Amino acid sequence: PRGFLASPAFLRPALLVLAVLVVVEGYFAVFVRENDFVFHRKLGLAFLAGDPFHDGVDWYPLGRAMLNAAFASLEYHTSRAVSYALCVAALLACHDMWRRMADGRQPLARGKSLAAALLAALAALPFVLRDFDECGLQLLLLFFLSAGAFAVWRGRAWQGGLWLAVAAVYKITPVICLP
């Protein structure tokens, strides 16, 4: 991004619009929507009750049921709000990690980096909004995988392995990355 897109005249209003969107979407995600979050909360409640594979639901790893229990131990709307706040923080952390890894190859001015991130967010907006509706369950997975890549990039292979293991426990698909 050049010129106007990287200028404060564009970035300030764009960030303000994005912040308003995150707050409005947060309200709908926490208080209006009913979606997969309810299913994962039930898995967590079943784990807390000592029956993590209730009703034959055994396609998620046991560790995921345990992670879901952390949210299930809270009041319903509180758990959705905490999950949503974590997903927003995770998305910001992903941006920071990706920016730092990219800067390691070729430093980019902060305004240009932010403009590129905003354009990427705009391109992915339908997918990000859908996950915001779910209180960020997939964005948390994205964070785990990004944290793993970031740790390996920094030369901390054991931390990278730990984050990848957390990602695989959270959702089985990252297991293909383990070898």
Side-chain angles (χ1 to χ4, degrees):
R2 296 178 180 241
F4 179 70
L5 292 180
S7 73
F10 171 76
L11 292 174
R12 283 188 187 118
L15 289 173
L16 179 63
V17 167
L18 187 60
V20 169
L21 178 69
V22 166
V23 169
V24 170
E25 178 62 28
Y27 170 79
F28 282 97
V30 172
F31 297 108
V32 178
R33 306 279 192 249
E34 294 294 326
N35 45 36
D36 282 355
F37 188 89
V38 174
F39 170 79
H40 289 284
R41 182 172 161 68
K42 286 180 184 177
L43 283 181
L45 289 170
F47 180 87
L48 291 173
D51 184 18
F53 300 119
H54 76 291
D55 299 331
V57 177
D58 60 358
W59 57 83
Y60 279 99
L62 183 60
R64 175 64 184 264
M66 181 179 69
L67 292 171
N68 288 339
F71 291 113
S73 64
L74 302 171
E75 184 273 330
Y76 178 71
H77 288 105
T78 302
S79 67
R80 289 184 73 96
V82 167
S83 182
Y84 186 81
L86 284 174
C87 98
V88 171
L91 198 55
L92 293 173
C94 285
H95 169 261
D96 183 61
M97 289 183 279
W98 297 340
R99 183 190 51 77
R100 290 170 63 184
M101 287 188 283
D103 278 352
R105 290 197 48 108
Q106 180 179 351
L108 189 61
R110 190 84 158 154
K112 288 183 178 183
S113 174
L114 189 53
L118 287 171
L119 291 174
L122 181 63
L125 192 62
F127 306 105
V128 173
L129 285 177
R130 184 195 182 283
D131 204 52
F132 275 175
D133 279 348
E134 307 258 341
C135 296
L137 299 178
Q138 304 309 319
L139 291 172
L140 294 176
L141 177 63
L142 177 66
F143 169 77
F144 299 149
L145 293 170
S146 298
F150 186 65
V152 169
W153 177 76
R154 291 180 22 205
R156 298 182 176 162
W158 69 271
Q159 284 181 353
L162 178 67
W163 280 114
L164 188 55
V166 170
V169 164
Y170 189 76
K171 191 158 187 151
I172 199 70
T173 310
V175 166
I176 63 175
C177 300
L178 288 177

